[in-house]
Amino acid sequence: MDGAITAALLAAVREQRPLVHHITNSVTINDCANITISAGAAPVMAEAAEEVADMVAAAGALVLNIGTLSAAQVDAMLIAGRRANDLGVPVVLDPVGAGATPFRTATVRRLLDALDIAVLKGNAGEIGVLAGTGGSVRGVDSGGVTGDPVETARECARATGTVVAMTGAVDVVTDGKRVYLVKNGNPAMDRLSGTGCMAASVTGAFVAVADDCAVASAAALAAFGRAGERAAAGARGPYSFRTALFDELAGLTFEDLAGHARVEEPYGV
Amino acid sequence: MDGAITAALLAAVREQRPLVHHITNSVTINDCANITISAGAAPVMAEAAEEVADMVAAAGALVLNIGTLSAAQVDAMLIAGRRANDLGVPVVLDPVGAGATPFRTATVRRLLDALDIAVLKGNAGEIGVLAGTGGSVRGVDSGGVTGDPVETARECARATGTVVAMTGAVDVVTDGKRVYLVKNGNPAMDRLSGTGCMAASVTGAFVAVADDCAVASAAALAAFGRAGERAAAGARGPYSFRTALFDELAGLTFEDLAGHARVEEPYGV
Amino acid sequence: MDGAITAALLAAVREQRPLVHHITNSVTINDCANITISAGAAPVMAEAAEEVADMVAAAGALVLNIGTLSAAQVDAMLIAGRRANDLGVPVVLDPVGAGATPFRTATVRRLLDALDIAVLKGNAGEIGVLAGTGGSVRGVDSGGVTGDPVETARECARATGTVVAMTGAVDVVTDGKRVYLVKNGNPAMDRLSGTGCMAASVTGAFVAVADDCAVASAAALAAFGRAGERAAAGARGPYSFRTALFDELAGLTFEDLAGHARVEEPYGV
């Protein structure tokens, strides 16, 4: 995928500044708010059943993240998600820890059954579990997949009817047919809590301004990964990396992104 | 308002180190805790119905923030607020997102009806909505007011019986009669999640040590704004600005604040 | 205690990378996640009653922190704690604000009664309250103890049947008989929200890889305190100190820790 497409989508986020409604975990909720701003969009976090249908009606995307799920929060996700579906607002689901407990796995399946999810953004273990082809998850960390990662992602996309964005050293984005491999990023991103959640937030910002969710997801991960590459250059540890990650995404130029986005299409266009 | 007044109030906060009880949102709760410490006060966050009346009894101020409100949290706000009123502990209300959903607007009206709010600290859109003169809010961001900002703030103060602290490029603080325009601050504060919430926390610290809530609110916003000005000087992006914002408020000298606080009284004293 | 023991335990954490299950407050939950990673372990935060028993079964330690407790959260702590006890997973309890409200004090007593707590990590005021010998707590800050700190900690350990880790300028770790005084640390740690909570998280990581919870707790506090000493060197304020604290713990070498850990045994081995 040409870097110019990624840069054009970042420009659209910054120009349109879409509202990204999150129903998310309490661990990284602040990270998600700030990375959404750094991407050029506007975050709002709201999960009261009394208001989520109203809030999502003003949003360009809805991000659901089950990192610290509760029964009440899942109910709010269903209310918000149904309204989003009615209005054509794309829904990004981050199945944090699916496979780690039966409650998480069952909740993700329930959300996938009840809602039209546009993008399912998970780590390899989570996607492997949801594909049904085998994956392991420990806490909220991926333990890897049983078979071929690309085939796992494709199978998950076909089984769930979503665009799958499977993050890792190389991110795999696929709608079951097309496959994008995103090679931007830096290992420092794995040594910081919340980078997976942030990736879902940035994806939410991008799908809010695009029609093609596979292209938008790949572009989002490339932009976020490119910010990570730049941030790693001067970091002295995980927290100075974190500071730089937000700064670099906010300051990322279209020229830099167009020149350094690395999104490959191994099976052709 | 003379800069020495602002500096004297900051000195009083640091000397008395008041306890500021927050019932606040989960997005910026850590920011609020740390900015309270940076201001020189002591934060405590507690929202269980079982304990809020006890906790607020030890506090110098109570800060209520509806950023991620729930029915249970609003109940706790009412319990804590009533006890604060009984004890003469000033209550600061941050009506985050009022106008964005009916639930938020109705909750703010309910809190204003049930409690004696000392300071209502909101952005322009929120204050316009609550004044009834017209304002727009998108997510938690201000979309501006219909008429004159100063008149909007005064009308809101008169209608609600509170000191209104309306934040923006220029902050307007008014009790309906007196008007203070606070011209400290930096646009970088708008590109960071939580600066509005932090402003309410700092205001809580200042009203805890002062009798005049309008003066204290103006001084708090001047001190916080001045820290923002200093922080912006060396920042490379929103997150290094954030790091500097906490550092600068913690290290703000009385001399610097006395010399650089810019609080104007356009209609005289 | 020889510095080599502390270094060896840090090495074991980094090698085994234990999962540390937290049920914790919403103020510092992100700090706890990131400091756990910086220590070399893997954090997971989960508090739904539906899943805590499953999650803790995969963990090397369970950290319970009542900083923003609710009735539902305490129920989850009891479920997780009982399962942890059944499985031999050590439980660290941080009694945040015990003594500040009757609800907090009663909750800590309830958890101590119902569960086998391995380590009780609190500030001096909290430990004094729980020892029954006198302590004062204001919000979540220690107001000190009535009598001798070391005797207070020992009495608390004997009364509760736990290892007590009492943090302060000098940390006191005791099982009621043995006493370790940990002299690492820096006053900057007191001017930052969450360092107490982070200390409990690091303690959780260390007890997950050790049999002797007193030795592990002392080593954890020494390592965390050493990171604080190094971080303070270049910090310009509380938030740049915070950035450096995470970076320094993540980058702490075994040589540095072995050479600079200061754990004294005033009453002999």
Side-chain angles (χ1 to χ4, degrees):
Chain A
M1 195 167 88
D2 196 87
I5 296 175
T6 295
L9 283 170
L10 178 62
V13 171
R14 290 185 183 166
E15 189 182 324
Q16 298 179 35
R17 204 166 173 265
L19 186 67
V20 182
H21 179 188
H22 290 70
I23 301 179
T24 190
N25 71 75
S26 57
V27 186
T28 64
I29 190 168
N30 185 275
D31 296 336
C32 289
N34 273 306
I35 207 71
T36 300
I37 298 174
S38 289
V44 68
M45 278 60 183
E47 65 177 57
E50 292 90 339
E51 70 167 352
V52 289
D54 295 317
M55 194 64 92
V56 79
L62 174 66
V63 175
L64 306 177
N65 173 310
I66 65 159
T68 52
L69 79 174
S70 67
Q73 196 190 46
V74 173
D75 288 344
M77 288 180 181
L78 289 166
I79 296 169
R82 285 186 189 115
R83 184 74 189 275
N85 286 169
D86 287 345
L87 297 171
V89 175
V91 182
V92 177
L93 174 60
D94 190 340
V96 181
T101 68
F103 183 51
R104 292 190 184 226
T105 311
T107 295
V108 174
R109 296 218 180 278
R110 190 176 162 206
L111 291 169
L112 285 166
D113 284 346
L115 303 176
D116 180 8
I117 302 295
V119 181
L120 180 66
K121 195 279 330 152
N123 63 36
E126 292 157 356
I127 297 301
V129 166
L130 296 170
T133 53
S136 72
V137 176
R138 176 171 170 266
V140 294
D141 297 328
S142 173
V145 295
T146 304
D148 176 67
V150 172
E151 273 318 301
T152 298
R154 291 178 95 162
E155 178 54 33
C156 187
R158 285 188 290 255
T160 60
T162 68
V163 167
V164 164
M166 188 174 85
T167 54
V170 172
D171 306 320
V172 180
V173 177
T174 177
D175 58 5
K177 294 175 190 165
R178 291 175 297 168
V179 174
Y180 299 97
L181 302 183
V182 184
K183 301 197 167 175
N184 293 101
N186 185 280
M189 300 171 94
D190 292 331
R191 295 191 288 268
L192 180 65
S193 165
T195 47
C197 305
M198 295 184 223
S201 294
V202 177
T203 301
F206 274 65
V207 297
V209 300
D211 291 323
D212 188 325
C213 285
V215 168
S217 298
L221 295 177
F224 186 52
R226 177 59 188 153
E229 291 169 7
R230 292 180 55 94
R236 295 168 47 178
Y239 228 67
S240 50
F241 171 75
R242 169 187 165 121
T243 298
L245 180 61
F246 289 90
D247 281 359
E248 290 291 348
L249 183 60
L252 195 61
T253 66
F254 305 132
E255 292 71 25
D256 181 284
L257 186 55
H260 294 91
R262 290 190 289 153
V263 182
E264 298 180 5
E265 294 161 86
Y267 308 106
V269 185
Chain B
M1 195 167 87
D2 196 88
I5 296 174
T6 296
L9 283 170
L10 178 62
V13 171
R14 291 186 183 165
E15 190 182 322
Q16 298 179 37
R17 204 165 173 265
L19 186 67
V20 182
H21 179 187
H22 290 69
I23 301 179
T24 191
N25 70 75
S26 57
V27 186
T28 65
I29 191 168
N30 185 276
D31 296 336
C32 290
N34 273 307
I35 207 72
T36 301
I37 298 174
S38 289
V44 68
M45 279 59 183
E47 66 176 58
E50 291 89 341
E51 70 166 354
V52 289
D54 295 317
M55 195 62 92
V56 79
L62 173 65
V63 175
L64 306 178
N65 174 309
I66 65 158
T68 52
L69 78 175
S70 68
Q73 196 189 45
V74 173
D75 288 344
M77 288 180 180
L78 290 167
I79 295 169
R82 285 186 190 116
R83 184 75 189 276
N85 286 170
D86 287 345
L87 298 171
V89 175
V91 182
V92 177
L93 174 60
D94 191 340
V96 181
T101 68
F103 183 52
R104 292 190 183 225
T105 311
T107 296
V108 174
R109 297 216 179 280
R110 190 176 162 208
L111 292 168
L112 284 166
D113 284 346
L115 303 176
D116 180 8
I117 301 296
V119 182
L120 181 65
K121 196 275 337 146
N123 64 36
E126 292 157 356
I127 298 300
V129 166
L130 297 170
T133 54
S136 73
V137 176
R138 176 171 169 266
V140 294
D141 297 330
S142 173
V145 295
T146 303
D148 176 67
V150 172
E151 274 317 302
T152 298
R154 290 178 95 164
E155 179 54 32
C156 188
R158 285 188 291 255
T160 59
T162 68
V163 167
V164 165
M166 187 174 85
T167 54
V170 172
D171 306 320
V172 181
V173 176
T174 177
D175 58 6
K177 295 176 188 163
R178 291 176 297 168
V179 174
Y180 299 98
L181 301 183
V182 184
K183 300 196 167 175
N184 293 101
N186 185 280
M189 299 171 94
D190 292 332
R191 295 192 287 269
L192 181 66
S193 167
T195 47
C197 304
M198 294 183 223
S201 294
V202 177
T203 301
F206 275 65
V207 298
V209 300
D211 291 323
D212 187 325
C213 284
V215 168
S217 298
L221 295 177
F224 185 53
R226 177 60 187 154
E229 292 168 8
R230 292 179 57 93
R236 295 168 47 177
Y239 229 67
S240 50
F241 170 76
R242 169 188 165 122
T243 299
L245 180 61
F246 289 89
D247 281 0
E248 291 290 347
L249 183 60
L252 196 60
T253 66
F254 304 133
E255 293 70 25
D256 181 285
L257 186 56
H260 293 92
R262 290 189 289 153
V263 182
E264 299 180 5
E265 295 161 87
Y267 308 106
V269 186
Chain C
M1 195 167 89
D2 197 87
I5 296 174
T6 296
L9 284 169
L10 178 62
V13 172
R14 291 186 183 164
E15 189 182 324
Q16 298 179 36
R17 202 164 174 267
L19 186 67
V20 182
H21 178 187
H22 289 70
I23 301 180
T24 190
N25 71 75
S26 57
V27 185
T28 64
I29 190 168
N30 185 275
D31 297 336
C32 290
N34 273 305
I35 207 73
T36 301
I37 298 174
S38 289
V44 68
M45 278 60 183
E47 65 176 57
E50 291 88 341
E51 70 166 352
V52 289
D54 295 317
M55 195 63 91
V56 79
L62 173 65
V63 176
L64 306 178
N65 175 309
I66 65 159
T68 52
L69 78 176
S70 67
Q73 196 190 44
V74 173
D75 288 344
M77 288 180 180
L78 290 166
I79 296 169
R82 285 187 190 114
R83 185 74 189 276
N85 286 170
D86 287 346
L87 297 170
V89 174
V91 182
V92 177
L93 174 60
D94 191 340
V96 181
T101 67
F103 183 52
R104 292 190 183 227
T105 311
T107 296
V108 174
R109 296 218 179 278
R110 190 176 163 208
L111 292 168
L112 285 166
D113 284 347
L115 303 176
D116 181 8
I117 302 295
V119 182
L120 180 66
K121 197 268 349 139
N123 63 36
E126 291 156 357
I127 297 301
V129 166
L130 296 170
T133 53
S136 72
V137 175
R138 176 172 169 266
V140 294
D141 297 329
S142 173
V145 295
T146 303
D148 176 67
V150 171
E151 274 317 303
T152 298
R154 290 178 96 162
E155 178 53 33
C156 188
R158 285 188 290 255
T160 59
T162 67
V163 167
V164 165
M166 187 174 85
T167 54
V170 172
D171 305 320
V172 181
V173 176
T174 177
D175 58 4
K177 294 175 188 164
R178 290 175 297 167
V179 174
Y180 299 97
L181 301 183
V182 184
K183 300 195 167 176
N184 293 100
N186 186 280
M189 300 170 93
D190 292 331
R191 295 192 287 269
L192 181 65
S193 167
T195 46
C197 304
M198 294 183 223
S201 295
V202 177
T203 301
F206 275 64
V207 297
V209 300
D211 291 323
D212 188 324
C213 285
V215 168
S217 298
L221 295 177
F224 186 52
R226 177 59 188 155
E229 292 168 7
R230 292 179 56 93
R236 296 169 47 178
Y239 230 67
S240 50
F241 170 76
R242 170 187 163 122
T243 299
L245 180 62
F246 289 89
D247 282 359
E248 290 290 348
L249 183 59
L252 195 60
T253 65
F254 305 133
E255 293 70 25
D256 181 284
L257 185 56
H260 293 92
R262 290 189 289 154
V263 182
E264 299 179 5
E265 294 161 87
Y267 309 104
V269 186

